[in-house]
Amino acid sequence: MAADREVVLTTCPRDCYDACGIRVVKRNGAITAVRGDPAHAVARGWLCPKCATGYNGSWRDETKRLTRPLRRSGKKGSGSFTPVTWDAALDEVALRLKQTVAATGAHTVLNTHYSGTMSLLGYHFPMRFFNRLGATEVDPDTICNKAGHVALEYVYGTSTDGFDPRTAKDAACILVWGANPSTSAPHAHRHWLAEAPGQVIVVDPIRTPTAEKAALHLQPFPGSDAALAFALMHVIHRERLVDDEFVHAHTVGWEDLAPLLTECTPEWGESVTGVPADQIVAAARIYGRGPSLLWLGQGLQRQRTGGNVMRACALLPAITGNLGKPGAGFLYLNGGANRRIDEGYVMGSRVGGARPPSISQMEMADHLEDPKRSQALMCWNINIAASNPQQKRLHKALEREDLFTVVVDVFPTDTTDFADIILPAASFLEFDDLVVSYFNLTVGAQVKATEPMGECLPNTEIFRRLAMKMDFTEPELHESDADVIETVLREAQIGEDFRSLATKGTVFFSSEPVIQFAGLEFPTPSGRVEMASARAEADGFPRVPHPTADARPANNALRLLSPASSWLMNDSFANDPGVAKRLGPVRVSLHPADAAARGLAEGDEVVLSNDTGRLSMKVSLSDAIPRGVAVSPKGRWPKLEETDGNVNRLNPGEQSDMGRSTAVHGVEVMIARLDHSRGPGEKSAPTL
Ligand code: SF4
């Protein structure tokens, strides 16, 4: 290797199942390319197109980044700011927080954050500060997957102890339900699923590229998944594929569940879900014979009854005995605990005293409109002005002059435009951290490849400095990144310190695949799989999940799905010029028959509307979309759109049945041709 050439191994920390290994190529000390690591077991030498574009574009472009602390100098939302020093910025934040705590209480400081970066410290460490402060946390998972977590905890006592993907070599079937790996786990789609010896079954309302490659694709109408799960269980029961021995020894509640299966024939399932009865029978046979893996996706539970859906689907491994053996199990997410990583330590769970109850992301607009409930707002790792529901109301609330708003980000987002103080965050290329994949049982090093751009600082250092300004003296708030990383690695017992891990990039937690629930002990009150749950009942839910489906849209409305785009990662990348070019104008995909019924053709401009808002976009025709459904992916930035809004303009923020979590896939809209006589864009949309 030439003396001026250097390669740094690091790991992608995006909110993605894959956690790719990356090679950062440097010449004369400057980064010249960010590529996939050919030696990395998952990446195999390539990054997804959005990261390959963004990491070699806007992420390293000083003109696109925030590089200095900024203080607002214009009207809120105008994006007018003046540079200030770190000291001046943090002095002001500390003063305003102290004044707020003294005047109205720490609970009137809202702390909102999520998955802008998923590296271990960047994601968790700032919570030490907020726990000490006693701020009200806006429960991060309620924007995404909380209903699923709550549901799985009822059934299995945990939602974060999933199968080891390496065990796929022993699986006769992989059932992917409500996940779209072709977009959200591109390497799992291209390598893991493609190379799995077992048959792949996909359940998804949309015929995604993953569904297209599957042996069997079941296409239920959104919101009918619980009914489909019961129809599958009916067939499994009828064909004597229930593992009686397992059910008897390791579950509770079969006597409550079995009577519910009687009526749930495949023909009933077809009538409720739209999935042909013969496909239900075929899928039940393949899954029931096993060994089978069940991948429960996040999209599955973003529904009005998403908790019930997840509980119902989660019964499949239990009744078929697909647990505790090679090639069997389920996965929602793999948490750090199954690699002996104590996330509670990193986030400082024991720091501070009593904390106010958290609120849901679905309630954000309500709280921000009310000065009694919110005097200060701290946003980090999140772009709420793009990602949250009730977008118009939320933007209006963020204009409140008496709301002191601080935003920590890598880029000038829609949310930073509403800030009083902006604090520039370092990107993953600019500081050391760890990446704990939530799919593969790996630990990766995120290695500093270059100095932070401008005056940017890692999240950890920002909150250490702010703790100092607040006169918070707890040692946990001032622990160095290096110390936290070494503690985590030592406790994980993977035989690596950061220096050695950095030379390897990523290591597996164990040399052999881990068997999920190998001891067949479950952290539920009974120690068994709780098909019937007294805890759920005590919380006001049915004792067992029910074979129900959400009502279908009436009066010519369509169900609006806003899944991930393959060119966006939540709200990251939309500001990258290369990505924006590939994204093109905002579109809604419709089944050709639904479009024809409305007199619409490819490329027509339409308005989507409901009681929450209205938004114009262009029509795309696709027979991959079922009838009655409209699809427009999430993640665009409102301020970069002609309509000054994204698909969350249409999201009322309805909560699912469990966890106060989003029911975004339950949104319904009317669609009509845009009336140009009333001018362009959202504001001039016709009354429907
Ligand atoms: S977002 Fe996912 S697929 Fe893309 S580079 Fe990162 S880990 Fe890999």
Side-chain angles (χ1 to χ4, degrees):
M1 187 179 296
D4 63 350
R5 189 169 186 270
E6 185 190 349
V7 172
V8 179
L9 296 183
T10 187
T11 311
C12 180
R14 303 271 75 77
D15 181 7
C16 173
Y17 293 89
D18 288 349
C20 288
I22 289 177
R23 285 165 64 93
V24 180
V25 182
K26 299 175 72 177
R27 279 193 191 278
N28 299 320
I31 297 176
T32 57
V34 178
R35 301 187 181 126
D37 178 2
H40 190 268
V42 175
R44 301 198 200 175
W46 64 280
L47 304 180
C48 64
K50 57 186 174 291
C51 289
T53 306
Y55 293 167
N56 291 295
S58 54
W59 291 72
R60 295 176 17 231
D61 180 349
E62 212 163 13
T63 66
K64 299 287 180 207
R65 292 273 302 271
L66 290 165
T67 56
R68 300 182 66 182
L70 300 171
R71 177 190 285 134
R72 178 165 68 95
S73 57
K75 192 173 172 303
K76 281 201 172 182
S78 68
S80 304
F81 295 93
T82 307
V84 291
T85 65
W86 271 105
D87 261 348
L90 293 177
D91 279 340
E92 186 168 337
V93 176
L95 178 67
R96 292 294 298 266
L97 290 180
K98 285 177 180 174
Q99 288 173 339
T100 301
V101 170
T104 52
H107 67 282
T108 62
V109 179
L110 300 191
N111 160 32
T112 183
H113 61 105
Y114 205 33
S115 56
T117 186
M118 296 287 286
S119 62
L120 191 69
L121 277 66
Y123 183 85
H124 286 304
F125 186 89
M127 282 304 298
R128 295 184 178 194
F129 174 86
F130 289 104
N131 290 338
R132 167 63 181 82
L133 184 67
T136 297
E137 185 181 26
V138 186
D139 186 337
D141 282 340
T142 54
I143 198 79
C144 179
N145 58 20
K146 189 66 183 268
H149 283 301
V150 174
L152 289 173
E153 280 170 19
Y154 286 136
V155 183
Y156 288 99
T158 175
S159 57
T160 54
D161 192 359
F163 61 66
D164 181 339
R166 291 175 296 176
T167 199
K169 66 181 175 57
D170 298 308
C173 164
I174 300 178
L175 174 51
V176 182
W177 198 322
N180 176 13
S182 64
T183 286
S184 303
H187 296 77
H189 164 77
R190 195 193 281 193
H191 306 306
W192 183 72
L193 281 173
E195 293 164 9
Q199 285 186 284
V200 176
I201 303 172
V202 169
V203 182
D204 197 311
I206 304 170
R207 196 175 69 245
T208 64
T210 302
E212 260 169 13
K213 286 186 182 306
L216 198 52
H217 174 207
L218 277 49
Q219 204 167 4
F221 194 82
S224 66
D225 301 86
L228 180 58
F230 271 82
L232 290 170
M233 289 191 284
H234 172 99
V235 177
I236 287 166
H237 188 215
R238 189 177 73 188
E239 306 214 350
R240 301 184 185 286
L241 293 169
V242 171
D243 185 335
D244 294 324
E245 203 176 309
F246 183 93
V247 167
H248 178 72
H250 303 293
T251 74
V252 293
W254 173 247
E255 62 286 358
D256 296 283
L257 177 66
L260 295 177
L261 302 182
T262 310
E263 307 288 326
C264 301
T265 62
E267 293 70 27
W268 169 86
E270 177 173 342
S271 70
V272 176
T273 70
V275 177
D278 61 333
Q279 288 187 12
I280 295 174
V281 173
R285 285 177 179 156
I286 296 168
Y287 180 86
R289 287 178 191 136
S292 295
L293 297 174
L294 173 61
W295 181 349
L296 297 164
Q298 323 260 317
L300 177 57
Q301 46 85 67
R302 290 180 196 143
Q303 308 185 41
R304 290 173 181 148
T305 52
N308 183 63
V309 164
M310 196 61 114
R311 281 179 84 194
C313 294
L315 300 180
L316 285 164
I319 69 164
T320 54
N322 270 304
L323 291 162
K325 60 187 183 187
F330 70 89
L331 180 138
Y332 188 42
L333 296 173
N334 269 317
N338 58 15
R339 275 147 282 183
R340 286 192 288 265
I341 289 173
D342 182 358
E343 288 161 328
Y345 153 68
V346 185
M347 71 173 75
S349 297
R350 289 175 290 278
V351 175
R355 289 170 212 145
S358 65
I359 64 169
S360 169
Q361 300 268 6
M362 302 302 101
E363 302 167 312
M364 180 93 88
D366 298 341
H367 278 254
L368 291 180
E369 283 172 347
D370 182 358
K372 289 197 188 73
R373 292 191 280 183
S374 59
Q375 281 293 310
L377 172 67
M378 305 284 289
C379 301
W380 50 285
N381 288 355
I382 195 168
N383 178 6
I384 58 171
S387 62
N388 280 48
Q390 301 173 325
Q391 194 168 82
K392 205 163 188 173
R393 270 182 68 199
L394 188 75
H395 285 206
K396 189 81 194 145
L398 287 169
E399 289 175 2
R400 262 180 56 202
E401 279 296 327
D402 63 332
L403 179 74
F404 180 65
T405 300
V406 179
V407 184
V408 179
D409 211 301
V410 176
F411 295 105
T413 67
D414 295 276
T415 308
T416 62
D417 282 353
F418 291 97
D420 291 283
I421 297 286
I422 299 174
L423 303 175
S427 88
F428 79 105
L429 296 167
E430 298 160 3
F431 64 99
D432 290 341
D433 207 327
L434 298 170
V435 176
V436 183
S437 166
Y438 54 71
F439 188 64
N440 295 292
L441 296 181
T442 56
V443 180
Q446 178 186 298
V447 180
K448 179 177 177 177
T450 185
E451 290 300 321
M453 194 171 278
E455 298 177 20
C456 294
L457 293 173
N459 285 355
T460 47
E461 180 60 16
I462 291 172
F463 285 95
R464 271 192 295 267
R465 291 191 187 188
L466 187 55
M468 194 87 80
K469 297 282 188 191
M470 293 289 290
D471 306 313
F472 290 164
T473 55
E474 289 77 359
E476 295 94 331
L477 274 59
H478 303 282
E479 193 172 7
S480 72
D481 291 359
D483 285 352
V484 176
I485 289 170
E486 291 310 333
T487 300
V488 167
L489 289 177
R490 189 172 58 248
E491 291 179 353
Q493 299 169 39
I494 54 174
E496 307 286 348
D497 59 14
F498 191 73
R499 185 187 291 246
S500 66
L501 185 62
T503 64
K504 296 174 182 165
T506 295
V507 296
F508 278 88
F509 175 69
S510 61
S511 55
E512 292 300 314
V514 175
I515 304 300
Q516 184 190 24
F517 301 121
L520 293 176
E521 289 163 359
F522 303 91
T524 56
S526 64
R528 298 175 174 211
V529 182
E530 298 201 343
M531 300 199 279
S533 167
R535 282 187 302 166
E537 197 170 33
D539 291 341
F541 300 112
R543 190 171 167 75
V544 286
H546 273 223
T548 51
D550 295 344
R552 295 204 185 192
N555 304 323
N556 216 27
L558 297 170
R559 183 69 59 78
L560 175 65
L561 302 182
S562 48
S565 155
S566 54
W567 280 97
L568 299 171
M569 167 57 64
N570 302 327
D571 299 302
S572 295
F573 297 111
N575 61 326
D576 185 277
V579 169
K581 201 168 162 193
R582 299 303 296 261
L583 271 178
V586 59
R587 288 180 176 272
V588 58
S589 297
L590 300 175
H591 190 280
D594 280 332
R598 290 163 177 78
L600 299 172
E602 177 78 30
D604 282 352
E605 289 181 85
V606 292
V607 172
L608 279 62
S609 68
N610 57 23
D611 289 343
T612 303
R614 47 186 65 223
L615 200 61
S616 58
M617 48 186 87
K618 284 182 187 292
V619 167
S620 277
L621 303 183
S622 171
D623 65 3
I625 313 291
R627 290 210 61 179
V629 173
V631 177
S632 189
K634 64 179 178 178
R636 303 174 78 101
W637 286 17
K639 68 178 179 181
L640 303 180
E641 299 293 306
E642 269 183 33
T643 52
D644 200 26
N646 69 12
V647 72
N648 278 317
R649 272 285 167 106
L650 300 159
N651 181 0
E654 187 182 350
Q655 297 184 20
S656 61
D657 54 347
M658 290 183 189
R660 303 173 299 163
S661 197
T662 179
V664 65
H665 290 334
V667 172
E668 293 180 8
V669 291
M670 302 294 283
I671 294 187
R673 189 182 297 278
L674 177 66
D675 180 356
H676 276 290
S677 68
R678 304 179 67 170
E682 181 265 349
K683 293 186 185 73
S684 60
T687 304
L688 300 173

